[in-house]
PDB file of all heavy atoms in Angstrom:
ATOM      1  N   CYS A 506      10.044 -23.814   8.754  1.00 96.00           N
ATOM      2  CA  CYS A 506       9.596 -24.659   7.645  1.00 96.00           C
ATOM      3  C   CYS A 506      10.570 -24.539   6.462  1.00 96.00           C
ATOM      4  O   CYS A 506      10.961 -25.543   5.849  1.00 96.00           O
ATOM      5  CB  CYS A 506       8.258 -24.217   7.197  1.00 96.00           C
ATOM      6  SG  CYS A 506       8.071 -22.462   6.837  1.00 96.00           S
ATOM      7  N   VAL A 509      13.920 -26.513   7.089  1.00 96.00           N
ATOM      8  CA  VAL A 509      13.942 -27.940   7.003  1.00 96.00           C
ATOM      9  C   VAL A 509      13.612 -28.542   5.655  1.00 96.00           C
ATOM     10  O   VAL A 509      13.911 -29.623   5.364  1.00 96.00           O
ATOM     11  CB  VAL A 509      12.990 -28.587   8.044  1.00 96.00           C
ATOM     12  CG1 VAL A 509      13.433 -28.236   9.521  1.00 96.00           C
ATOM     13  CG2 VAL A 509      11.576 -28.286   7.728  1.00 96.00           C
ATOM     14  N   CYS A 510      13.109 -27.720   4.784  1.00 96.00           N
ATOM     15  CA  CYS A 510      12.609 -28.328   3.468  1.00 96.00           C
ATOM     16  C   CYS A 510      13.775 -28.846   2.632  1.00 96.00           C
ATOM     17  O   CYS A 510      14.726 -28.151   2.393  1.00 96.00           O
ATOM     18  CB  CYS A 510      11.833 -27.252   2.659  1.00 96.00           C
ATOM     19  SG  CYS A 510      11.204 -27.913   1.138  1.00 96.00           S
ATOM     20  N   PRO A 511      13.707 -30.107   2.291  1.00 96.00           N
ATOM     21  CA  PRO A 511      14.804 -30.694   1.620  1.00 96.00           C
ATOM     22  C   PRO A 511      15.015 -30.346   0.193  1.00 96.00           C
ATOM     23  O   PRO A 511      16.064 -30.427  -0.393  1.00 96.00           O
ATOM     24  CB  PRO A 511      14.489 -32.239   1.673  1.00 96.00           C
ATOM     25  CG  PRO A 511      12.997 -32.305   1.782  1.00 96.00           C
ATOM     26  CD  PRO A 511      12.631 -31.076   2.528  1.00 96.00           C
ATOM     27  N   VAL A 512      13.931 -29.719  -0.385  1.00 96.00           N
ATOM     28  CA  VAL A 512      14.051 -29.447  -1.805  1.00 96.00           C
ATOM     29  C   VAL A 512      13.843 -27.930  -2.154  1.00 96.00           C
ATOM     30  O   VAL A 512      13.729 -27.548  -3.315  1.00 96.00           O
ATOM     31  CB  VAL A 512      13.084 -30.241  -2.708  1.00 96.00           C
ATOM     32  CG1 VAL A 512      13.414 -31.688  -2.613  1.00 96.00           C
ATOM     33  CG2 VAL A 512      11.614 -30.086  -2.213  1.00 96.00           C
ATOM     34  N   GLY A 513      13.762 -27.151  -1.123  1.00 95.00           N
ATOM     35  CA  GLY A 513      13.515 -25.696  -1.356  1.00 95.00           C
ATOM     36  C   GLY A 513      12.132 -25.386  -1.957  1.00 95.00           C
ATOM     37  O   GLY A 513      11.942 -24.439  -2.679  1.00 95.00           O
ATOM     38  N   ALA A 514      11.186 -26.337  -1.669  1.00 96.00           N
ATOM     39  CA  ALA A 514       9.826 -26.083  -2.204  1.00 96.00           C
ATOM     40  C   ALA A 514       9.079 -25.023  -1.405  1.00 96.00           C
ATOM     41  O   ALA A 514       8.193 -24.349  -1.916  1.00 96.00           O
ATOM     42  CB  ALA A 514       8.937 -27.350  -2.125  1.00 96.00           C
ATOM     43  N   THR A 515       9.529 -24.745  -0.151  1.00 96.00           N
ATOM     44  CA  THR A 515       9.002 -23.650   0.593  1.00 96.00           C
ATOM     45  C   THR A 515      10.138 -22.708   0.832  1.00 96.00           C
ATOM     46  O   THR A 515      11.242 -23.090   1.068  1.00 96.00           O
ATOM     47  CB  THR A 515       8.362 -24.174   1.943  1.00 96.00           C
ATOM     48  OG1 THR A 515       7.708 -23.049   2.564  1.00 96.00           O
ATOM     49  CG2 THR A 515       9.319 -24.856   2.850  1.00 96.00           C
ATOM     50  N   ILE A 525       4.944 -21.569  -0.930  1.00 96.00           N
ATOM     51  CA  ILE A 525       5.199 -22.930  -1.212  1.00 96.00           C
ATOM     52  C   ILE A 525       5.083 -23.142  -2.742  1.00 96.00           C
ATOM     53  O   ILE A 525       4.076 -22.659  -3.312  1.00 96.00           O
ATOM     54  CB  ILE A 525       4.257 -23.872  -0.477  1.00 96.00           C
ATOM     55  CG1 ILE A 525       4.344 -23.679   1.008  1.00 96.00           C
ATOM     56  CG2 ILE A 525       4.424 -25.367  -0.960  1.00 96.00           C
ATOM     57  CD1 ILE A 525       3.158 -24.181   1.733  1.00 96.00           C
ATOM     58  N   ARG A 529       6.957 -28.484  -6.752  1.00 95.00           N
ATOM     59  CA  ARG A 529       8.251 -28.958  -6.363  1.00 95.00           C
ATOM     60  C   ARG A 529       8.174 -29.883  -5.115  1.00 95.00           C
ATOM     61  O   ARG A 529       9.003 -30.731  -4.897  1.00 95.00           O
ATOM     62  CB  ARG A 529       9.251 -27.870  -6.151  1.00 95.00           C
ATOM     63  CG  ARG A 529      10.707 -28.380  -6.017  1.00 95.00           C
ATOM     64  CD  ARG A 529      11.661 -27.332  -5.581  1.00 95.00           C
ATOM     65  NE  ARG A 529      12.034 -26.465  -6.681  1.00 95.00           N
ATOM     66  CZ  ARG A 529      12.968 -25.594  -6.640  1.00 95.00           C
ATOM     67  NH1 ARG A 529      13.773 -25.502  -5.617  1.00 95.00           N
ATOM     68  NH2 ARG A 529      13.282 -24.808  -7.706  1.00 95.00           N
ATOM     69  N   CYS A 530       7.193 -29.550  -4.265  1.00 96.00           N
ATOM     70  CA  CYS A 530       7.076 -30.222  -2.954  1.00 96.00           C
ATOM     71  C   CYS A 530       6.978 -31.711  -3.095  1.00 96.00           C
ATOM     72  O   CYS A 530       6.274 -32.313  -3.906  1.00 96.00           O
ATOM     73  CB  CYS A 530       5.846 -29.686  -2.267  1.00 96.00           C
ATOM     74  SG  CYS A 530       5.320 -30.614  -0.798  1.00 96.00           S
ATOM     75  N   ILE A 531       7.715 -32.418  -2.322  1.00 96.00           N
ATOM     76  CA  ILE A 531       7.737 -33.884  -2.346  1.00 96.00           C
ATOM     77  C   ILE A 531       6.832 -34.578  -1.315  1.00 96.00           C
ATOM     78  O   ILE A 531       6.751 -35.726  -1.266  1.00 96.00           O
ATOM     79  CB  ILE A 531       9.242 -34.463  -2.226  1.00 96.00           C
ATOM     80  CG1 ILE A 531       9.862 -34.127  -0.868  1.00 96.00           C
ATOM     81  CG2 ILE A 531      10.138 -34.012  -3.381  1.00 96.00           C
ATOM     82  CD1 ILE A 531      11.065 -34.854  -0.618  1.00 96.00           C
ATOM     83  N   GLY A 532       6.209 -33.733  -0.533  1.00 95.00           N
ATOM     84  CA  GLY A 532       5.253 -34.232   0.428  1.00 95.00           C
ATOM     85  C   GLY A 532       5.892 -35.023   1.629  1.00 95.00           C
ATOM     86  O   GLY A 532       5.258 -35.939   2.114  1.00 95.00           O
ATOM     87  N   CYS A 533       7.094 -34.551   2.013  1.00 95.00           N
ATOM     88  CA  CYS A 533       7.702 -35.200   3.198  1.00 95.00           C
ATOM     89  C   CYS A 533       7.071 -34.748   4.528  1.00 95.00           C
ATOM     90  O   CYS A 533       7.177 -35.371   5.529  1.00 95.00           O
ATOM     91  CB  CYS A 533       9.130 -34.992   3.197  1.00 95.00           C
ATOM     92  SG  CYS A 533       9.627 -33.283   3.501  1.00 95.00           S
ATOM     93  N   ARG A 534       6.413 -33.611   4.548  1.00 95.00           N
ATOM     94  CA  ARG A 534       5.745 -33.057   5.724  1.00 95.00           C
ATOM     95  C   ARG A 534       6.667 -32.693   6.837  1.00 95.00           C
ATOM     96  O   ARG A 534       6.268 -32.533   8.038  1.00 95.00           O
ATOM     97  CB  ARG A 534       4.640 -33.979   6.167  1.00 95.00           C
ATOM     98  CG  ARG A 534       3.755 -34.560   5.069  1.00 95.00           C
ATOM     99  CD  ARG A 534       2.607 -35.299   5.553  1.00 95.00           C
ATOM    100  NE  ARG A 534       2.934 -36.576   6.085  1.00 95.00           N
ATOM    101  CZ  ARG A 534       3.507 -37.629   5.549  1.00 95.00           C
ATOM    102  NH1 ARG A 534       3.797 -37.504   4.227  1.00 95.00           N
ATOM    103  NH2 ARG A 534       3.701 -38.733   6.104  1.00 95.00           N
ATOM    104  N   PHE A 535       7.945 -32.546   6.496  1.00 95.00           N
ATOM    105  CA  PHE A 535       8.908 -32.159   7.605  1.00 95.00           C
ATOM    106  C   PHE A 535       8.564 -30.659   7.988  1.00 95.00           C
ATOM    107  O   PHE A 535       8.635 -30.355   9.192  1.00 95.00           O
ATOM    108  CB  PHE A 535      10.324 -32.153   6.966  1.00 95.00           C
ATOM    109  CG  PHE A 535      11.399 -32.157   7.981  1.00 95.00           C
ATOM    110  CD1 PHE A 535      11.153 -32.205   9.337  1.00 95.00           C
ATOM    111  CD2 PHE A 535      12.746 -32.160   7.607  1.00 95.00           C
ATOM    112  CE1 PHE A 535      12.171 -32.261  10.293  1.00 95.00           C
ATOM    113  CE2 PHE A 535      13.782 -32.179   8.507  1.00 95.00           C
ATOM    114  CZ  PHE A 535      13.473 -32.193   9.885  1.00 95.00           C
ATOM    115  N   CYS A 536       8.131 -29.857   7.073  1.00 96.00           N
ATOM    116  CA  CYS A 536       7.758 -28.472   7.392  1.00 96.00           C
ATOM    117  C   CYS A 536       6.567 -28.454   8.372  1.00 96.00           C
ATOM    118  O   CYS A 536       6.471 -27.573   9.224  1.00 96.00           O
ATOM    119  CB  CYS A 536       7.443 -27.689   6.120  1.00 96.00           C
ATOM    120  SG  CYS A 536       6.231 -28.454   5.058  1.00 96.00           S
ATOM    121  N   MET A 537       5.618 -29.400   8.242  1.00 95.00           N
ATOM    122  CA  MET A 537       4.534 -29.383   9.138  1.00 95.00           C
ATOM    123  C   MET A 537       4.956 -29.711  10.531  1.00 95.00           C
ATOM    124  O   MET A 537       4.450 -29.164  11.572  1.00 95.00           O
ATOM    125  CB  MET A 537       3.457 -30.398   8.683  1.00 95.00           C
ATOM    126  CG  MET A 537       2.912 -30.148   7.356  1.00 95.00           C
ATOM    127  SD  MET A 537       1.727 -31.405   6.893  1.00 95.00           S
ATOM    128  CE  MET A 537       0.207 -30.814   7.715  1.00 95.00           C
ATOM    129  N   ARG A 545       0.323 -25.141   8.674  1.00 95.00           N
ATOM    130  CA  ARG A 545       0.283 -25.773   7.372  1.00 95.00           C
ATOM    131  C   ARG A 545      -0.806 -26.909   7.348  1.00 95.00           C
ATOM    132  O   ARG A 545      -1.022 -27.540   8.305  1.00 95.00           O
ATOM    133  CB  ARG A 545       1.648 -26.380   7.096  1.00 95.00           C
ATOM    134  CG  ARG A 545       2.679 -25.270   7.007  1.00 95.00           C
ATOM    135  CD  ARG A 545       4.065 -25.721   6.672  1.00 95.00           C
ATOM    136  NE  ARG A 545       4.784 -24.567   6.141  1.00 95.00           N
ATOM    137  CZ  ARG A 545       5.309 -24.611   4.949  1.00 95.00           C
ATOM    138  NH1 ARG A 545       5.409 -25.723   4.239  1.00 95.00           N
ATOM    139  NH2 ARG A 545       5.920 -23.563   4.451  1.00 95.00           N
ATOM    140  N   PHE A 547      -2.217 -30.208   4.653  1.00 95.00           N
ATOM    141  CA  PHE A 547      -1.760 -31.109   3.649  1.00 95.00           C
ATOM    142  C   PHE A 547      -2.860 -31.675   2.823  1.00 95.00           C
ATOM    143  O   PHE A 547      -3.983 -31.869   3.339  1.00 95.00           O
ATOM    144  CB  PHE A 547      -1.005 -32.302   4.364  1.00 95.00           C
ATOM    145  CG  PHE A 547      -0.057 -33.101   3.439  1.00 95.00           C
ATOM    146  CD1 PHE A 547       1.046 -32.576   2.925  1.00 95.00           C
ATOM    147  CD2 PHE A 547      -0.531 -34.385   3.090  1.00 95.00           C
ATOM    148  CE1 PHE A 547       1.865 -33.290   2.098  1.00 95.00           C
ATOM    149  CE2 PHE A 547       0.321 -35.127   2.244  1.00 95.00           C
ATOM    150  CZ  PHE A 547       1.503 -34.591   1.733  1.00 95.00           C
ATOM    151  N   VAL A 576       1.893 -29.754   0.374  1.00 96.00           N
ATOM    152  CA  VAL A 576       1.554 -28.960   1.523  1.00 96.00           C
ATOM    153  C   VAL A 576       1.043 -27.586   1.108  1.00 96.00           C
ATOM    154  O   VAL A 576       1.422 -27.151   0.064  1.00 96.00           O
ATOM    155  CB  VAL A 576       2.764 -28.924   2.464  1.00 96.00           C
ATOM    156  CG1 VAL A 576       3.773 -28.011   2.055  1.00 96.00           C
ATOM    157  CG2 VAL A 576       2.326 -28.724   3.947  1.00 96.00           C
TER     158      VAL A 576
HETATM  159  S1  SF4 C1068       6.284 -31.162   2.574  1.00 95.64           S
HETATM  160 FE1  SF4 C1068       6.984 -30.050   0.731  1.00 95.64          FE
HETATM  161  S2  SF4 C1068       7.263 -27.908   1.438  1.00 95.64           S
HETATM  162 FE2  SF4 C1068       7.220 -29.234   3.224  1.00 95.64          FE
HETATM  163  S3  SF4 C1068       9.349 -29.708   3.724  1.00 95.64           S
HETATM  164 FE3  SF4 C1068       8.554 -31.415   2.469  1.00 95.64          FE
HETATM  165  S4  SF4 C1068       8.999 -30.824   0.416  1.00 95.64           S
HETATM  166 FE4  SF4 C1068       9.248 -28.976   1.587  1.00 95.64          FE
END
Side-chain angles (χ1 to χ4, degrees):
Chain A
C506 52
V509 299
C510 182
V512 294
T515 185
I525 299 159
R529 188 188 284 193
C530 170
I531 60 169
C533 65
R534 313 190 291 295
F535 198 5
C536 52
M537 298 180 81
R545 298 181 157 235
F547 194 72
V576 78

